[in-house]
Amino acid sequence: MDPNRVEEASGKMSGDGDISSVMGFSGFGKKARTFDFDAIFEQTRRTAIERSQRALEERQMTQMEEKGESSKSVKSSVHAQRNKAAAATSRKQESDSSSDSGSDSDSGLIGPPPPPQHTTQDDDDDDDELVGPPLPPGYTGSTAHSDEEDEEGGAQDDDDDDKPVKKIPDTHEITLQHGTKTVSALGLDPSGARLVTGGYDYDVRFWDFAGMDQALQAFRSLQPCDCHQIKSLQYSITGDVILVVSGNAQAKVLDRDGFNVMECVKGDQYIVDMANTKGHTAMLNSGCWHPKIKEEFMTCSNDCTVRTWDLNSEKKHKSVFKPRSFQGKKVTPTCCTYSRDGKLVAAGCQDGTIQIWDRNLSVHTKFHCRQAHTPGSDTSCLSFSYDGVTLASRGGDDTLKMWDIRNFRKPVNVATGLTNYFAMTDCCFSPDDKLLVTGTSVKKNEGNGKLVFFDRTSFQRVYEIEVTDASVVRCLWHPKLNQIMVGTGNGLAKVYYDPVKSHRGAKLCVVKSKRKEKQAETLTQDYIITPHALPMFREARQRSTRKQLEKDRLDPKKSHKPEPPVSGPGRGGRVAAHGGTLSSFIVKNIALDKSDDSNAREAILRHAKDASENPYWVAPAYKETQPEPVFAEESEEDEEADKEPEWKKRKI
């Protein structure tokens, strides 16, 4: 600090005595001292060094006494430490003296004494070994690494990076509860922002990593194919639409929010040549998008065809591939896929063959392997490597095979003992193309399903992850996120990630705390309020029951006296109280009916006199126009003839 400025400030304060008397101290107005933080830190470091030296001395003394070593060695070590301490204090005094000589003019400044200034950097380097807690006994080496050691450590890290197992992101995991049944389909968009899951419960659930919190709830659930199991879900290369393949004959395309964009047409099942139909006629097995053309996708079905479709023309397929056996018979394709460049179409068939066509030539196969897997087993997955040369096949015969399509007769490598109970068990390559991943199946309560990793070169089982106590069906290793998605047989979708090696995805939602449930969100169902349920339409509540009883007395329905029970036999539609059943009532009343309706003529003539005297129905209508009846008088001869017996009349 400049001493001239300090003198000027002190001169100004001497002339202003009133302010000093008011403030209560005489040094008002002097400039405050500035502090050097580096010097303060240096002083703190030296204090820590001295304390560690003392602790080290005491520890060494105790150990020497216990071991019975000579006092000379103890004294030598103590003298050495004391010499270092003395050298440090001498340097401290020299720095203090130099700082005091340079700041004599600042003696009147307010503030704490200035910290000692460090003089050389070499001394600091010498004392670096004493910073921190005391060193363990018998330690003679240096804490700092040499350049050679650093180079060796860097080379070792490079070797670890070269090992593909080190790049597996399995340190952390999250579990998404899809349902209780098998998760048979997984789909992740190219950016890694959204995940879709489908299962045997017919549901398709949408998961948004950026929008989820630690509750891990799906933001949408729907059943796009009614009561059909979901078999495959895949985002297009642009991520704007989703292909849904289910157990019916018509594939669907949904947008990112789950709304219907397209539904493939169903073909005519009575046509023999499947190439002449517009669509599939039987249950679908698999499907996928073209890796280069965003409007094209492919499906395979139990009608023994593989069809390609255009998103803009839903009324007819684009092309048809018909797998055939060695005898030329129809064969059912169980899985299909495109090559990485989109020029080849591959299908795994039920007879154990793998057939590959040129995308533009659908008649004859370009590559054909007759005995890729056991005939009769369902080849569950085909996957091309990122370099486009290698093809991996997951078979229903509990094997995983790797093929070179340039020499397609024999597999390059084979792995056995991989149990497979599902027709959609996946296999995929790692983003660096050095590992091959697949899942294993287990029966209930017979072990855990595993995610198995194979080295692509040696095809050795280099790593495995025990996922859960159910089968591992689907697996997906996203290249951008470096995260592994797994679908299991007990309705779970697990995401494995590494906080350092992975990016975005599951890391976005695990850091968000759960939202507090709002009162409106806790309502399980919406209440429907009818107009007459509102207070303005309600009738006023009666405070007294007497008025209500008076109103009920005036109401003919409410005040109607109940009819008394029938005491005698039942008449007029009312049943008398005789017996407890209808049969007993009928038996008791058969003999009690006084009317005799055996003679119908007499029963009608009983009312003849009343009908003639008091006509009610027909006669009044024709009273004015009806002629009076005129009867012929009967002679005496006719009367006698009527009285003659019948045998006499017959003789005559």
Side-chain angles (χ1 to χ4, degrees), residues 167 386 429-435 477-480 482-483:
K167 298 181 181 180
Y386 287 91
F429 286 88
S430 62
D432 58 359
D433 242 5
K434 294 181 179 179
L435 294 175
W477 196 335
H478 198 272
K480 289 187 178 180
N482 193 25
Q483 298 178 11

Side-chain angles (χ1 to χ4, degrees), residues 77 169 216 300 306 337 389 411-412 480 489 507 590:
S77 62
L216 303 177
C300 65
V306 178
T337 186
V389 176
V412 178
K480 289 187 178 180
K507 294 171 62 178
I590 286 175

